[in-house]
Amino acid sequence: MQITLAVHGMTCGHCEKAVKGAVEELNGIQGVEVHLDTNKVDVTYDDVYVSKEQIESAIEEQGYDVVS
Ligand SMILES: [Cu+2]
């Protein structure tokens, strides 16, 4: 599975690391790419192990808003 999430509130390299790290800690994540310029996060994952909802929650727990 490959999804692109729109995430509000990411402004710098620290935010990028926080989001990337939180998502990478989940099971079944194959790749995470954060695009600060477009506020997008690309996630590649195996949906046997992790759901889109869990990925969104992990990002929100870091204090960022997932808007799509
Ligand atoms: Cu930041």
Side-chain angles (χ1 to χ4, degrees):
M1 297 284 288
Q2 204 272 326
I3 52 169
T4 300
L5 300 170
V7 179
H8 282 184
M10 301 185 299
T11 54
C12 67
H14 168 80
C15 301
E16 179 174 345
K17 278 205 190 74
V19 168
K20 202 170 191 291
V23 175
E24 282 175 340
E25 271 182 18
L26 300 168
N27 288 324
I29 301 296
Q30 293 155 344
V32 185
E33 244 185 282
V34 176
H35 306 279
L36 287 177
D37 50 343
T38 53
N39 293 307
K40 296 282 165 61
V41 179
D42 296 327
V43 185
T44 312
Y45 64 101
D46 186 335
D47 62 359
V48 169
Y49 300 105
V50 67
S51 68
K52 181 171 183 266
E53 287 69 31
Q54 285 174 294
I55 295 167
E56 291 174 349
S57 299
I59 294 172
E60 283 169 350
E61 277 166 20
Q62 295 301 310
Y64 305 100
D65 285 330
V66 180
V67 292
S68 72

XYZ file of all heavy atoms in Angstrom:
518
model
N 0.848 -1.189 0.000
C 0.000 0.000 0.000
C 0.882 1.236 0.000
O 1.918 1.261 0.626
C -0.874 0.079 1.276
C -1.858 -1.048 1.420
S -3.278 -0.861 0.353
C -4.154 0.470 1.138
N 0.422 2.254 -0.714
C 1.143 3.534 -0.694
C 0.108 4.635 -0.530
O -0.873 4.687 -1.274
C 1.928 3.709 -1.998
C 3.124 4.644 -1.875
C 2.776 6.094 -2.111
O 1.917 6.405 -2.910
N 3.418 6.997 -1.391
N 0.303 5.472 0.490
C -0.626 6.580 0.695
C 0.151 7.876 0.840
O 1.318 7.878 1.215
C -1.504 6.402 1.964
C -0.661 6.105 3.202
C -2.580 5.355 1.750
C -1.443 6.196 4.509
N -0.530 8.962 0.531
C 0.031 10.282 0.770
C -0.919 11.008 1.704
O -2.111 11.146 1.407
C 0.167 11.062 -0.547
O 1.037 10.338 -1.417
C 0.753 12.445 -0.295
N -0.398 11.415 2.855
C -1.205 12.135 3.832
C -0.840 13.606 3.791
O 0.329 13.962 3.635
C -0.931 11.602 5.244
C -1.239 10.120 5.484
C -0.678 9.691 6.835
C -2.740 9.875 5.433
N -1.843 14.473 3.930
C -1.584 15.897 4.091
C -1.515 16.162 5.588
O -2.443 15.855 6.327
C -2.695 16.710 3.445
N -0.390 16.695 6.036
C -0.161 16.902 7.469
C 0.155 18.375 7.724
O 1.091 18.923 7.132
C 1.002 16.014 7.972
C 1.252 16.253 9.458
C 0.701 14.541 7.718
N -0.633 18.994 8.582
C -0.404 20.398 8.911
C 0.429 20.530 10.183
O 0.323 19.714 11.077
C -1.740 21.124 9.101
C -2.401 21.465 7.801
N -3.555 22.178 7.714
C -2.035 21.177 6.523
C -3.891 22.322 6.431
N -2.996 21.713 5.696
N 1.254 21.556 10.228
C 2.012 21.865 11.433
C 3.483 21.518 11.357
O 4.239 21.845 12.257
N 3.911 20.872 10.268
C 5.328 20.528 10.128
C 6.058 21.733 9.532
O 5.683 22.221 8.477
C 5.514 19.330 9.193
C 4.805 18.070 9.645
S 5.186 16.662 8.552
C 4.570 17.246 6.977
N 7.088 22.194 10.249
C 7.756 23.402 9.778
C 9.259 23.252 9.575
O 9.856 24.042 8.856
C 7.535 24.559 10.780
O 7.951 24.105 12.073
C 6.071 24.971 10.824
N 9.872 22.282 10.218
C 11.336 22.227 10.148
C 11.842 20.797 10.197
O 11.059 19.845 10.249
C 11.927 23.033 11.307
S 11.578 22.297 12.914
N 13.128 20.646 10.215
C 13.749 19.333 10.235
C 13.378 18.522 11.461
O 13.302 17.298 11.419
N 13.140 19.235 12.579
C 12.720 18.538 13.793
C 11.359 17.882 13.592
O 11.142 16.734 13.974
C 12.673 19.509 14.972
C 11.976 18.936 16.167
N 12.596 18.075 17.043
C 10.702 19.070 16.593
C 11.709 17.713 17.971
N 10.559 18.304 17.727
N 10.447 18.613 13.004
C 9.109 18.073 12.732
C 9.219 16.867 11.808
O 8.550 15.847 12.004
C 8.240 19.129 12.054
S 8.011 20.631 13.012
N 10.050 17.004 10.797
C 10.241 15.922 9.837
C 10.707 14.652 10.541
O 10.170 13.570 10.328
C 11.259 16.369 8.779
C 11.551 15.302 7.741
C 12.462 15.810 6.611
O 12.644 17.032 6.477
O 12.976 14.953 5.880
N 11.697 14.809 11.436
C 12.227 13.657 12.175
C 11.187 13.068 13.107
O 11.095 11.849 13.253
C 13.460 14.078 12.992
C 14.736 14.120 12.208
C 15.947 13.936 13.153
C 17.247 14.216 12.430
N 17.432 15.690 12.215
N 10.402 13.933 13.772
C 9.392 13.459 14.722
C 8.341 12.618 14.001
O 7.969 11.534 14.461
C 8.734 14.648 15.425
N 7.882 13.107 12.852
C 6.845 12.404 12.090
C 7.403 11.102 11.520
O 6.808 10.030 11.662
C 6.289 13.303 10.966
C 5.442 12.505 9.993
C 5.475 14.456 11.560
N 8.566 11.209 10.910
C 9.189 10.038 10.294
C 9.443 8.952 11.352
O 9.102 7.785 11.164
C 10.520 10.472 9.648
C 11.034 9.559 8.562
C 12.222 10.249 7.866
C 12.646 9.542 6.600
N 13.270 8.253 6.756
N 10.012 9.375 12.482
C 10.343 8.430 13.551
C 9.108 7.741 14.116
O 9.118 6.539 14.366
N 8.039 8.517 14.317
C 6.824 7.951 14.901
C 6.202 6.921 13.967
O 5.725 5.876 14.405
C 5.822 9.070 15.197
N 6.216 7.215 12.678
C 5.616 6.276 11.722
C 6.504 5.039 11.570
O 6.006 3.909 11.544
C 5.364 6.953 10.356
C 4.862 5.934 9.333
C 4.362 8.098 10.506
N 7.809 5.245 11.520
C 8.727 4.114 11.342
C 8.690 3.131 12.508
O 9.046 1.963 12.353
C 10.167 4.619 11.141
C 10.403 5.124 9.731
C 11.777 5.748 9.534
O 12.409 6.138 10.537
O 12.204 5.852 8.368
N 8.256 3.602 13.690
C 8.169 2.709 14.852
C 7.053 1.676 14.726
O 7.040 0.681 15.438
C 7.923 3.528 16.123
C 9.206 3.985 16.782
C 8.929 4.759 18.061
O 7.821 4.666 18.604
O 9.849 5.465 18.499
N 6.092 1.932 13.850
C 4.972 1.003 13.688
C 5.433 -0.242 12.925
O 6.381 -0.189 12.145
C 3.832 1.682 12.913
C 3.235 2.944 13.540
C 2.334 3.648 12.529
C 2.452 2.598 14.797
N 4.718 -1.340 13.146
C 5.008 -2.557 12.380
C 4.533 -2.389 10.943
O 3.540 -1.717 10.698
C 4.277 -3.757 12.986
C 4.874 -4.188 14.304
O 6.093 -4.130 14.489
N 4.028 -4.605 15.229
N 5.228 -3.021 10.016
C 4.746 -3.085 8.644
C 5.036 -1.870 7.785
O 4.571 -1.787 6.656
N 5.821 -0.925 8.316
C 6.149 0.272 7.540
C 7.352 -0.020 6.647
O 8.383 -0.507 7.112
C 6.465 1.470 8.463
C 5.272 1.790 9.368
C 6.880 2.688 7.639
C 4.018 2.248 8.658
N 7.212 0.268 5.366
C 8.301 -0.009 4.424
C 9.069 1.253 4.035
O 10.236 1.197 3.673
C 7.733 -0.704 3.180
C 7.221 -2.105 3.528
C 6.148 -2.613 2.589
O 5.552 -1.847 1.845
N 5.881 -3.906 2.638
N 8.388 2.383 4.111
C 9.073 3.625 3.772
C 8.261 4.840 4.175
O 7.037 4.801 4.139
N 8.955 5.896 4.599
C 8.291 7.148 4.971
C 9.071 8.294 4.354
O 10.295 8.368 4.513
C 8.262 7.370 6.505
C 7.456 8.614 6.850
C 7.724 6.160 7.233
N 8.359 9.171 3.657
C 9.017 10.340 3.102
C 8.223 11.580 3.468
O 7.022 11.652 3.214
C 9.106 10.221 1.579
C 10.537 10.148 1.072
C 10.590 10.157 -0.438
O 10.327 9.089 -1.022
O 10.862 11.218 -1.008
N 8.891 12.540 4.098
C 8.223 13.767 4.527
C 8.623 14.899 3.578
O 9.810 15.103 3.313
C 8.632 14.133 5.977
C 8.017 15.469 6.388
C 8.205 13.028 6.938
N 7.608 15.599 3.049
C 7.860 16.729 2.157
C 7.390 18.000 2.849
O 6.205 18.314 2.865
C 7.110 16.540 0.838
C 7.418 15.233 0.171
N 8.548 15.041 -0.590
C 6.769 14.040 0.193
C 8.562 13.781 -1.023
N 7.505 13.155 -0.567
N 8.351 18.723 3.443
C 8.003 19.932 4.188
C 7.435 21.017 3.279
O 6.569 21.793 3.688
C 9.244 20.482 4.907
C 9.738 19.710 6.135
C 11.013 20.350 6.656
C 8.686 19.653 7.232
N 7.907 21.068 2.044
C 7.479 22.130 1.124
C 6.004 22.004 0.741
O 5.323 23.001 0.510
C 8.375 22.159 -0.123
C 8.545 20.779 -0.766
O 8.263 19.758 -0.098
O 8.957 20.726 -1.936
N 5.500 20.773 0.699
C 4.100 20.573 0.298
C 3.223 20.064 1.443
O 2.026 19.832 1.253
C 4.016 19.559 -0.869
O 4.715 18.372 -0.504
C 4.640 20.130 -2.133
N 3.819 19.896 2.636
C 3.087 19.356 3.802
C 2.505 17.975 3.532
O 1.416 17.655 3.997
C 1.975 20.311 4.251
C 2.523 21.605 4.801
O 3.363 21.601 5.693
N 2.082 22.715 4.253
N 3.238 17.179 2.782
C 2.775 15.836 2.465
C 3.706 14.792 3.081
O 4.908 15.026 3.216
C 2.736 15.618 0.940
C 1.745 16.520 0.206
C 0.322 16.037 0.352
C -0.723 17.069 -0.039
N -0.632 17.484 -1.437
N 3.099 13.681 3.454
C 3.882 12.553 3.961
C 3.507 11.323 3.148
O 2.337 10.927 3.112
C 3.597 12.296 5.460
C 4.398 11.094 5.962
C 3.939 13.536 6.296
N 4.464 10.751 2.462
C 4.250 9.524 1.698
C 4.621 8.339 2.588
O 5.709 8.314 3.159
C 5.157 9.474 0.462
C 4.848 10.577 -0.542
O 3.664 10.949 -0.649
O 5.787 11.033 -1.206
N 3.719 7.385 2.680
C 4.000 6.199 3.486
C 3.736 4.952 2.655
O 2.683 4.828 2.019
C 3.114 6.150 4.751
C 3.510 4.969 5.644
C 3.202 7.450 5.543
N 4.702 4.058 2.648
C 4.528 2.752 2.019
C 4.468 1.722 3.136
O 5.314 1.730 4.032
C 5.720 2.433 1.090
O 5.969 3.557 0.252
C 5.406 1.224 0.221
N 3.434 0.868 3.104
C 3.261 -0.061 4.225
C 2.541 -1.328 3.791
O 1.919 -1.376 2.732
C 2.495 0.632 5.352
C 1.075 1.044 5.003
C -0.011 0.273 5.423
C 0.817 2.194 4.264
C -1.319 0.646 5.114
C -0.486 2.571 3.945
C -1.547 1.793 4.375
O -2.839 2.139 4.062
N 2.633 -2.326 4.667
C 1.928 -3.581 4.451
C 0.672 -3.559 5.309
O 0.758 -3.562 6.541
C 2.850 -4.739 4.857
C 2.223 -6.094 4.529
O 0.981 -6.178 4.454
O 2.993 -7.049 4.354
N -0.486 -3.527 4.668
C -1.732 -3.364 5.429
C -2.162 -4.619 6.190
O -3.197 -4.628 6.859
C -2.861 -2.811 4.548
C -3.222 -3.750 3.398
O -2.588 -4.800 3.273
O -4.150 -3.404 2.641
N -1.354 -5.668 6.114
C -1.594 -6.830 6.982
C -1.195 -6.460 8.418
O -1.776 -6.927 9.386
C -0.775 -8.052 6.494
C -0.804 -9.179 7.531
C -1.320 -8.543 5.159
N -0.184 -5.589 8.540
C 0.394 -5.293 9.854
C -0.031 -3.953 10.439
O 0.054 -3.750 11.646
C 1.936 -5.320 9.770
C 2.464 -6.652 9.335
C 2.952 -6.838 8.043
C 2.449 -7.732 10.204
C 3.409 -8.085 7.627
C 2.904 -8.971 9.804
C 3.382 -9.144 8.519
O 3.824 -10.374 8.114
N -0.434 -3.035 9.591
C -0.717 -1.690 10.097
C -1.802 -1.055 9.226
O -1.902 -1.337 8.029
C 0.590 -0.847 10.131
C 1.108 -0.556 8.742
C 0.413 0.448 10.936
N -2.637 -0.222 9.846
C -3.719 0.428 9.097
C -3.411 1.908 8.896
O -2.580 2.489 9.599
C -5.039 0.290 9.859
O -4.988 1.046 11.051
N -4.122 2.500 7.948
C -3.990 3.936 7.698
C -4.323 4.716 8.980
O -3.670 5.706 9.295
C -4.950 4.314 6.566
C -4.929 5.773 6.163
C -5.747 5.976 4.892
C -5.707 7.415 4.410
N -6.837 8.200 4.901
N -5.343 4.239 9.710
C -5.753 4.911 10.948
C -4.615 4.921 11.976
O -4.402 5.905 12.678
C -6.983 4.213 11.548
C -8.288 4.466 10.794
C -8.338 3.806 9.401
O -7.724 2.722 9.204
O -8.970 4.387 8.508
N -3.891 3.799 12.073
C -2.782 3.733 13.031
C -1.658 4.688 12.634
O -1.025 5.298 13.491
C -2.236 2.301 13.104
C -3.139 1.350 13.870
C -2.615 -0.080 13.794
O -2.584 -0.684 12.719
N -2.184 -0.608 14.916
N -1.436 4.815 11.338
C -0.398 5.727 10.851
C -0.797 7.165 11.179
O -0.003 7.958 11.681
C -0.180 5.534 9.329
C 0.381 4.130 9.063
C 0.755 6.613 8.778
C 0.354 3.715 7.598
N -2.069 7.489 10.922
C -2.562 8.836 11.220
C -2.465 9.143 12.711
O -2.065 10.237 13.108
C -4.017 8.981 10.747
C -4.134 8.985 9.228
C -5.586 8.985 8.740
O -6.499 8.782 9.563
O -5.777 9.180 7.527
N -2.828 8.163 13.543
C -2.764 8.368 14.992
C -1.339 8.632 15.452
O -1.100 9.487 16.305
C -3.288 7.141 15.739
O -4.618 6.903 15.419
N -0.389 7.885 14.894
C 1.011 8.046 15.290
C 1.489 9.463 14.984
O 2.227 10.070 15.767
C 1.881 7.022 14.564
N 1.046 10.009 13.858
C 1.432 11.373 13.486
C 0.746 12.382 14.403
O 1.368 13.334 14.894
C 1.079 11.644 12.010
C 1.940 10.759 11.097
C 1.272 13.123 11.669
C 1.556 10.805 9.623
N -0.533 12.146 14.683
C -1.283 13.078 15.539
C -0.737 13.075 16.965
O -0.734 14.120 17.623
C -2.777 12.737 15.493
C -3.380 13.249 14.200
C -4.793 12.754 13.911
O -5.273 11.848 14.624
O -5.401 13.288 12.958
N -0.267 11.919 17.432
C 0.308 11.845 18.776
C 1.559 12.724 18.913
O 1.927 13.123 20.013
C 0.669 10.392 19.144
C -0.527 9.620 19.674
C -0.267 8.107 19.717
O 0.909 7.698 19.700
O -1.263 7.364 19.752
N 2.194 13.015 17.788
C 3.368 13.898 17.822
C 2.949 15.372 17.805
O 3.790 16.266 17.880
C 4.278 13.629 16.618
C 4.904 12.233 16.610
C 5.757 11.962 17.838
O 6.601 12.776 18.181
N 5.516 10.859 18.512
N 1.659 15.634 17.676
C 1.165 17.016 17.736
C 0.878 17.659 16.386
O 0.731 18.871 16.312
N 0.766 16.837 15.350
C 0.491 17.379 14.017
C -0.904 16.952 13.558
O -1.423 15.937 14.002
C 1.547 16.908 13.019
C 2.944 17.254 13.494
C 3.743 16.298 14.096
C 3.405 18.563 13.389
C 4.992 16.634 14.589
C 4.656 18.906 13.888
C 5.442 17.938 14.483
O 6.671 18.273 14.979
N -1.492 17.757 12.691
C -2.836 17.469 12.211
C -2.796 16.783 10.864
O -2.224 17.291 9.898
C -3.632 18.787 12.023
C -4.054 19.359 13.369
O -4.272 18.575 14.306
O -4.164 20.597 13.461
N -3.428 15.611 10.806
C -3.567 14.916 9.530
C -4.895 15.371 8.931
O -5.951 15.162 9.517
C -3.575 13.380 9.717
C -3.727 12.684 8.366
C -2.300 12.931 10.406
N -4.834 16.029 7.780
C -6.061 16.595 7.206
C -6.623 15.757 6.062
O -7.727 16.009 5.603
C -5.856 18.062 6.752
C -5.644 18.944 7.967
C -4.696 18.186 5.804
N -5.887 14.769 5.605
C -6.480 13.853 4.626
C -5.719 12.543 4.638
O -4.611 12.475 5.130
C -6.444 14.445 3.216
O -5.122 14.436 2.729
Cu 9.660 21.746 13.461
